[in-house]
Amino acid sequence: MPLQQGSARMRQRTVLLVGIVVLLAALVLAVVLASLLTHGRHEVSPKMLKWKDRGTTKNLQEVILGRCYNYITAQHPELGDKDCLKIWESLKDAFIYKNPCNITPEDYQPLMELASHPIPCNKSLFWSKTGDLVHRYTKSNQNFLTLEDTLLGYMADRISWCGDPSAPGINYESCPKRNECESNPGSVFWKMASKMFAEAACGVVQVMLNGSVEAGAFRSSSIFGSVEIFNLDPDKVSEVHIWLMQDIGGPQSESCSGHSIQRLISILENRNFKIICEDNYRPVQLLQCVHNPDHADCRLCTNST
């Protein structure tokens, strides 16, 4: 009898040990499988979305911060209270880790509030298809400011940025063009900045258009034609002076009596603006006005105050 009891206890111990070994083996196997699965998820990360335009400007943070500090210290020290680090963070927060086709005006609202500043009356200069000329002019003539001469425009001029839902949240390879999706980071930014620039305009406002564009100097689809013109305030703007430039990449195609300019004038008149249109300016003549502003032909190129 004692022998039988000892044999039974031995079997019980054996079964218990086998059970413990099996349980430990199962636990080890579970840990190994979990590790493999987790490792696999890290290895196979989502790919960046692909678009048709250039990607985010390399060293974007350094570019934005450098331009911001240069603007508020070297060019406009009166804006020294602007916080460039907060401005960069608000720009980054507007697009990082987001689908670049789902950007909204609300994404940029904090940036607009941080970087906005007053625009003196009689200094606002709008443009369309005259980018190189108008910026050569304002660089030499401090009488006028384009959007690109404001803090917002200066920081963002000729650079690009967009996010992506996958890490690292910024797409340096490609960003969407406007024809791929309108709510992309660049389009939404420039529309908001342009709207704010137009709303701030007061006194005499200048508009430089390209009279050598075969399709017409005024385009309803342009930022000026679709955003800025409708955000000018008739109660703040006394006159709109149109400079119709010629010989910019082609012969004269349109005068102030042309179809597209008359369409622009009609829109402005319906909004109760007084308009002056001058159509015989050429780039060389305009730039010469910087050095000889008292010349009779420069009457629209000088500050009207």
Side-chain angles (χ1 to χ4, degrees):
M1 189 72 176
L3 182 61
Q4 290 178 346
Q5 289 177 346
S7 178
R9 283 195 295 272
M10 183 65 72
R11 284 197 297 271
Q12 287 176 351
R13 289 195 188 99
T14 302
V15 170
L16 181 60
L17 288 172
V18 170
I20 292 172
V21 170
V22 170
L23 180 60
L24 289 173
L27 287 172
V28 170
L29 181 60
V31 170
V32 171
L33 287 174
S35 177
L36 289 173
L37 289 172
T38 304
H39 180 71
R41 281 199 296 269
H42 285 307
E43 289 294 319
V44 186
S45 59
K47 291 184 178 179
M48 286 279 176
L49 300 173
K50 292 186 178 180
W51 309 99
K52 295 180 181 178
D53 210 352
R54 60 178 175 155
T56 300
T57 300
K58 303 299 181 186
N59 303 311
L60 179 65
Q61 178 177 348
E62 289 76 12
V63 172
I64 294 295
L65 286 175
R67 290 183 176 187
C68 181
Y69 286 126
N70 179 64
Y71 191 91
I72 67 173
T73 57
Q75 299 185 36
H76 296 276
E78 70 275 12
L79 300 178
D81 60 336
K82 296 293 182 184
D83 190 326
C84 290
L85 282 173
K86 285 186 178 179
I87 288 172
W88 156 248
E89 290 294 334
S90 64
L91 172 62
K92 183 181 69 173
D93 291 344
F95 73 92
I96 193 170
Y97 279 107
K98 296 178 182 178
N99 185 309
C101 283
N102 295 333
I103 304 301
T104 67
E106 289 72 24
D107 291 324
Y108 282 117
Q109 192 58 44
L111 171 65
M112 299 293 150
E113 293 174 0
L114 284 171
S116 65
H117 57 84
I119 307 297
C121 288
N122 306 302
K123 283 185 173 287
S124 299
L125 173 52
F126 299 87
W127 60 275
S128 182
K129 291 291 185 180
T130 56
D132 289 339
L133 174 61
V134 77
H135 294 129
R136 285 173 62 196
Y137 181 65
T138 57
K139 188 175 181 179
S140 303
N141 186 344
Q142 303 303 311
N143 285 331
F144 302 113
L145 293 171
T146 65
L147 172 57
E148 292 76 17
D149 297 310
T150 67
L151 176 56
L152 271 171
Y154 180 79
M155 289 189 299
D157 191 26
R158 301 177 188 270
I159 64 174
S160 61
W161 63 88
C162 68
D164 193 276
S166 61
I170 298 178
N171 193 335
Y172 290 98
E173 301 301 321
S174 64
C175 290
K177 289 186 173 182
R178 185 177 177 181
N179 59 11
E180 292 181 277
C181 57
E182 280 203 33
S183 296
N184 65 72
S187 294
V188 176
F189 170 86
W190 285 111
K191 284 181 180 179
M192 285 196 69
S194 297
K195 178 177 181 291
M196 190 167 68
F197 183 62
E199 289 173 341
C202 56
V204 179
V205 163
Q206 319 292 333
V207 181
M208 186 187 294
L209 301 178
N210 188 344
S212 297
V213 176
E214 195 169 337
F218 173 69
R219 298 171 300 122
S220 298
S221 60
S222 67
I223 290 288
F224 173 68
S226 63
V227 177
E228 292 168 336
I229 189 175
F230 295 106
N231 283 284
L232 293 173
D233 187 345
D235 293 329
K236 293 165 58 179
V237 175
S238 57
E239 291 181 354
V240 177
H241 288 184
I242 302 170
W243 309 353
L244 194 54
M245 308 303 300
Q246 309 297 342
D247 296 333
I248 303 179
Q252 178 174 345
S253 298
E254 189 168 23
S255 66
C256 288
S257 60
H259 176 71
S260 79
I261 295 299
Q262 286 300 305
R263 184 155 42 90
L264 167 60
I265 290 174
S266 176
I267 293 172
L268 291 170
E269 287 179 339
N270 288 337
R271 301 198 65 230
N272 298 318
F273 290 108
K274 180 181 177 181
I275 305 115
I276 294 177
C277 183
E278 185 80 9
D279 63 8
N280 61 353
Y281 275 107
R282 286 169 172 76
V284 173
Q285 177 188 358
L286 181 72
L287 295 174
Q288 285 176 341
C289 287
V290 176
H291 305 291
N292 187 17
D294 294 328
H295 193 279
D297 288 337
C298 296
R299 60 193 179 278
L300 294 182
C301 302
T302 55
N303 198 321
S304 300
T305 57

